[in-house]
Amino acid sequence: LGTAQTSLPTIATDGTAASITAALRAEAQKTNRESGTIKEVVILNAGAPMTLTTVMNALLPEAKANGLDGILTAGFDPVFSAYIFYDDRGAWPGYIAKINPASQIDAPTLASRIQAIETSSFKNFFLTDQGTPGTFRTGQARGKYIDRFVSFETEGALFSYGIFGDYLIVNTTNNGLVKALDLLKL
C-alpha cells in the first residue's frame, strides 16, 4: 500500500495456511483498531518475506492443480502487500500485488486466467469461519473496475478478487476493498 516493507509489522509463519491465518488473527488482536482502518503486514516464513505465489499456494490448496500459481508467478511482482482491514464486525485480510510489466501479459488476460481462483477453496483467506459461500457474481468497483465476488452467510463477509488498474486485489470484505482502492488512489 505504499509503505516501505522494512518498516511494517511482521508476522512469522511456517508457510502453511493454518499458520498464516493464525498469525494474521494474532496480529489483528494485538491492538484495538478503529473501524475503517487498515494495517499492512509482512508475512514471513523462516525469517524471510513470503512471495505472492507462496502465500496463495498455501491459502489455495488447488492453486497448482488449476494453474493459478503459474499465472501468479508470471503476471505479478512476487513482493506484495498483505493487510488487515478493521470494521465493527471484525478484522478482514486482503492482499495486493502489482502487475509485473516485464510479463507482457495484459490485464484482461490476467483477469481471465485468475478466474481459476473460483474453483479453489478460498475459506482459508478468512480469520474465522464465515459459513457457506453463495455463488460467484460479477461486480463493479468505482464504476470502472470489474471484480468477481462471492458472499458468505456472515454479514459483511465476501471473498473478492479483481484487476484494479495495475494491481490484483484479493480481499475478504467490500469495505476493505474500498479502503485499499482509496489508499492506492484508484
Side-chain angles (χ1 to χ4, degrees):
L1 297 173
T3 310
Q5 290 237 346
T6 57
S7 64
L8 296 174
T10 59
I11 57 171
T13 74
D14 66 9
T16 63
S19 177
I20 292 167
T21 302
L24 285 168
R25 186 180 313 112
E27 184 65 29
Q29 295 172 350
K30 280 186 178 178
T31 58
N32 271 340
R33 299 293 285 201
E34 185 178 324
S35 183
T37 62
I38 200 165
K39 177 182 189 178
E40 191 172 0
V41 296
V42 176
I43 302 172
L44 303 176
N45 180 14
M50 293 180 70
T51 66
L52 173 69
T53 303
T54 304
V55 168
M56 292 299 152
N57 281 342
L59 296 176
L60 299 166
E62 304 86 359
K64 287 184 181 181
N66 64 21
L68 190 58
D69 68 331
I71 194 63
L72 291 171
T73 300
F76 300 94
D77 189 327
V79 177
F80 69 101
S81 294
Y83 64 86
I84 303 167
F85 174 78
Y86 298 86
D87 68 12
D88 295 338
R89 294 183 198 105
W92 308 93
Y95 305 87
I96 301 172
K98 188 161 179 53
I99 294 174
N100 182 352
S103 72
Q104 299 182 6
I105 304 172
D106 61 41
T109 301
L110 284 172
S112 173
R113 303 253 325 262
I114 293 292
Q115 277 193 301
I117 206 168
E118 294 180 24
T119 62
S120 301
S121 301
F122 40 83
K123 284 188 170 191
N124 289 333
F125 282 87
F126 294 92
L127 300 183
T128 59
D129 185 3
Q130 301 301 314
T132 305
T135 303
F136 268 96
R137 296 181 293 187
T138 300
Q140 191 171 33
R142 305 277 160 125
K144 60 183 173 180
Y145 301 114
I146 303 299
D147 69 338
R148 297 277 295 160
F149 69 94
V150 60
S151 297
F152 283 76
E153 290 176 316
T154 303
E155 184 181 344
L158 73 107
F159 177 80
S160 71
Y161 68 93
I163 303 293
F164 302 86
D166 292 334
Y167 300 93
L168 165 68
I169 302 177
V170 179
N171 125 105
T172 56
T173 185
N174 191 58
N175 290 334
L177 171 62
V178 169
K179 184 68 170 184
L181 291 172
D182 287 346
L183 292 172
L184 291 169
K185 299 182 182 357
L186 295 174

